[in-house]
Amino acid sequence: MRGKKFKILNLLILIIVVVNLVWVFAEGQSMTAHTMKILADDCKIKDVKIKMSNEGVIEFLGCHIDPDDNEFLIDVRSIGKGDTRLKLIATIEYPNGNILKLKVKKHFEIGFFGFVMDTTGMVDFNNYKVSVFSVFLAQILTIIFMLWEYLDNNRKGEFSYSMVACGALAFFSFVTLAFGAYKYMNHAVKTFGSYINIVADTGQVMLLLLTPFMFAMSVFLTISNIWLIRHEGKRLVNTLGIGFGLLWIIGTLLTLGPFIFFNFTIPMPSIMRYVLIYVMCYFECMFIVTGFSAVLAVHYKPKHDRDYIIILGCRIRKDGTPTPLLKGRVDAAIRFEQKQFEETGKHAIFVPSGGRGDDEVLSEAESMKNYLLEKGIPEERILIEDKSANTFENMKFSKGVIEGVSGNIKKKKIAFATTNYHVFRGYVLSRKNDFVAKGISAGTRRYFYPNAFLREFIGLLVDQLPRHIMYVSILCLFFLIMWLPSW
């Protein structure tokens, strides 16, 4: 169904694009160009003189004053291809007899199929409202389908980077749609170019909206780090939350300094600030949606029908016994398996997974096996994997061990047990090893969780670094192209 949803969405957006192009081009050979407002009612145009830099491109059809907006409008029609600069001097007579000499300069470009565009300032063309509403409709469809996919993944327990991408895209599309619709209803969208400017400014609006949340998160992570250092000691890894807060403050000063702190600005090219804004938007969306997805992954309850339960290892004590953190993972696996047996009468095989570090007296897998035996788990229901050095290898080598005794792992129902902050990453890495596993969550101390989740988030970013570089590059290029017409 996932593939079908995206195919349907792509088809609908393609239809919107085609209908928009047909509609816009249907009247694209003529254009009514906006200029400026005349600050009086019942003005009359007495005389008009025009001059064009390139004859044979457009035909001047006339000019008039819009009675609703009192705006001076110019009507033209394409008769050739290329571009031309039009200079117009109009004599305007006011009701009191005063005369105004109105000077207008316009740059018209005639492109595909004789389509007329006014490129004087913000790009404009006839039927631009059709294009704007087409974008609105495409955004609405994107939000619906992305949320549908996100919630469907949660329902099925299929937590992955695709799920995060769907949530982030839905979030960003919603902000863009809401901001664009608000501006449209307040008559700020006068041309297609003005709408492009609004889209370009959406990143700035999003950063402003997220500032209170991100500030609170930075303070919370800093406080939790201080608490963590007091309990666990001064280690570089225990200061990630403080580093996160500092980076966020620096990024906010660079991008939103003039908006948050009056008269404060850091000189930089405007284009660089736009790029920084969208890079920050991307990672803030990733952080928020990943955090939300991680919470959903922790609270997801796998069905009690598992054939194997992989227990992800971590450091053990100097005497070879599991640390409280590792015991928590093993205990969570045992509780799940016991409940499964009570409900279904089906036992699962435990797969403790973890190699031996240079400073460890035995492998993490053997340490967990000994603990399982102490808890009354028979040895025949324990299958160790003792070669892995990280979570990716936990999944990879455990897959090999399971397939060595049971054949294709895809025909088996697999679970994995780990600490709550680590569950989402476990889902991602099992999929990366081409099999599906459901997470069993073990708790941890409250002061440990925020920093541990941040470490896992960084690990997820590093794990998918090429993809993030590609996404950020496409994002910056896309919005840069959209912003350039108004540069």
Side-chain angles (χ1 to χ4, degrees), residues 81-345:
K81 291 189 177 181
D83 71 294
T84 186
R85 296 184 183 276
L86 181 146
K87 294 181 181 179
L88 180 146
I89 300 176
T91 303
I92 309 294
E93 182 180 1
Y94 287 91
N96 60 7
N98 290 338
I99 299 296
L100 170 68
K101 291 288 186 179
L102 185 66
K103 296 180 180 180
V104 176
K105 293 182 180 180
K106 284 289 180 181
H107 184 202
F108 294 102
E109 292 185 3
I110 312 302
F112 195 56
F113 292 141
F115 185 70
V116 184
M117 283 197 301
D118 176 7
T119 60
T120 307
M122 295 182 179
V123 176
D124 192 20
F125 48 84
N126 274 7
N127 285 336
Y128 77 91
K129 290 185 179 180
V130 175
S131 297
V132 172
F133 279 109
S134 295
V135 175
F136 285 167
L137 182 56
Q139 289 172 328
I140 291 170
L141 289 173
T142 299
I143 294 167
I144 292 172
F145 277 82
M146 292 301 103
L147 281 179
W148 182 11
E149 178 68 10
Y150 187 88
L151 296 174
D152 207 28
N153 274 269
N154 176 57
R155 181 179 60 81
K156 296 177 180 177
E158 297 178 355
F159 302 95
S160 65
Y161 253 116
S162 297
M163 180 180 179
V164 172
C166 288
L169 184 56
F171 181 39
F172 188 79
S173 297
F174 174 77
V175 174
T176 306
L177 173 65
F179 186 52
Y182 168 78
K183 287 290 188 178
Y184 185 87
M185 288 186 291
N186 284 275
H187 310 290
V189 182
K190 296 293 186 182
T191 65
F192 189 72
S194 63
Y195 178 69
I196 289 176
N197 269 7
I198 289 169
V199 173
D201 288 338
T202 302
Q204 193 167 268
V205 173
M206 178 175 283
L207 284 188
L208 283 168
L209 291 173
L210 292 178
T211 294
F213 172 81
M214 295 303 295
F215 176 74
M217 183 60 64
S218 298
V219 171
F220 173 70
L221 286 169
T222 300
I223 293 173
S224 71
N225 265 188
I226 295 171
W227 194 6
L228 178 64
I229 290 169
R230 290 180 61 186
H231 285 82
E232 303 287 338
K234 297 179 181 179
R235 296 170 55 201
L236 183 62
V237 73
N238 291 344
T239 63
L240 288 176
I242 297 173
F244 175 89
L246 289 174
L247 281 175
W248 179 80
I249 290 172
I250 292 170
T252 301
L253 290 176
L254 289 172
T255 54
L256 299 179
F259 299 94
I260 299 176
F261 307 101
F262 297 107
N263 298 322
F264 177 88
T265 182
I266 297 176
M268 72 172 70
S270 297
I271 192 170
M272 184 181 294
R273 193 171 72 86
Y274 266 80
V275 170
L276 282 174
I277 284 173
Y278 283 106
V279 169
M280 278 192 68
C281 273
Y282 175 81
F283 285 109
E284 285 189 10
C285 284
M286 284 291 298
F287 180 77
I288 292 170
V289 178
T290 301
F292 189 70
S293 302
V295 171
L296 293 178
V298 167
H299 288 89
Y300 178 79
K301 303 299 181 184
K303 292 182 179 179
H304 290 99
D305 60 353
R306 303 294 100 179
D307 298 305
Y308 292 89
I309 302 174
I310 301 169
I311 309 173
L312 303 181
C314 61
R315 292 184 64 83
I316 60 175
R317 288 172 168 165
K318 292 182 179 180
D319 62 0
T321 58
T323 59
L325 193 69
L326 188 54
K327 281 184 179 179
R329 298 181 181 187
V330 180
D331 288 339
I334 293 173
R335 284 194 299 272
F336 180 90
E337 200 278 339
Q338 288 176 342
K339 190 169 183 180
Q340 173 174 302
F341 181 72
E342 290 171 3
E343 290 183 1
T344 66

Side-chain angles (χ1 to χ4, degrees), residues 282-467:
Y282 175 81
F283 285 109
E284 285 189 10
C285 284
M286 284 291 298
F287 180 77
I288 292 170
V289 178
T290 301
F292 189 70
S293 302
V295 171
L296 293 178
V298 167
H299 288 89
Y300 178 79
K301 303 299 181 184
K303 292 182 179 179
H304 290 99
D305 60 353
R306 303 294 100 179
D307 298 305
Y308 292 89
I309 302 174
I310 301 169
I311 309 173
L312 303 181
C314 61
R315 292 184 64 83
I316 60 175
R317 288 172 168 165
K318 292 182 179 180
D319 62 0
T321 58
T323 59
L325 193 69
L326 188 54
K327 281 184 179 179
R329 298 181 181 187
V330 180
D331 288 339
I334 293 173
R335 284 194 299 272
F336 180 90
E337 200 278 339
Q338 288 176 342
K339 190 169 183 180
Q340 173 174 302
F341 181 72
E342 290 171 3
E343 290 183 1
T344 66
K346 177 182 178 179
H347 277 303
I349 296 176
F350 295 93
V351 186
S353 175
R356 177 180 175 180
D358 295 335
D359 58 346
E360 294 176 328
V361 296
L362 73 166
S363 70
E364 296 164 6
E366 291 174 303
S367 176
M368 287 187 278
K369 178 181 178 181
N370 294 336
Y371 185 69
L372 285 166
L373 292 172
E374 289 176 12
K375 289 291 184 176
I377 306 299
E379 188 168 2
E380 60 269 20
R381 286 202 286 116
I382 304 173
L383 186 65
I384 70 168
E385 180 288 297
D386 58 0
K387 304 298 180 185
S388 55
N390 52 52
T391 309
F392 179 82
E393 290 185 355
N394 284 149
M395 294 298 186
K396 178 181 178 181
F397 296 156
S398 294
K399 175 185 176 182
V401 167
I402 293 170
E403 289 189 328
V405 297
S406 298
N408 191 348
I409 195 172
K410 292 181 180 180
K411 296 180 179 180
K412 301 297 178 180
K413 295 179 179 178
I414 312 297
F416 66 90
T418 189
T419 317
N420 47 18
Y421 62 81
H422 197 227
V423 172
F424 184 79
R425 193 176 181 199
Y427 274 101
V428 172
L429 294 181
S430 66
R431 285 182 166 277
K432 198 170 182 180
N433 281 286
D434 197 30
F435 71 97
V436 176
K438 305 297 184 183
I440 301 169
S441 174
T444 187
R445 294 170 184 171
R446 291 181 180 178
Y447 66 80
F448 191 78
Y449 182 85
N451 197 73
F453 168 73
L454 187 57
R455 188 173 62 197
E456 289 303 308
F457 175 69
I458 294 171
L460 286 166
L461 292 181
V462 173
D463 184 61
Q464 300 287 329
L465 189 59
R467 181 181 293 184

Side-chain angles (χ1 to χ4, degrees), residues 34-42 64-73 128-129 187 189-190:
H34 298 264
T35 61
M36 62 189 73
K37 293 196 175 189
I38 308 299
L39 301 177
D41 293 328
D42 300 323
H64 61 281
I65 298 173
D66 187 335
D68 295 324
D69 291 337
N70 287 333
E71 185 178 12
F72 188 80
L73 305 173
Y128 77 91
K129 290 185 179 180
H187 310 290
V189 182
K190 296 293 186 182

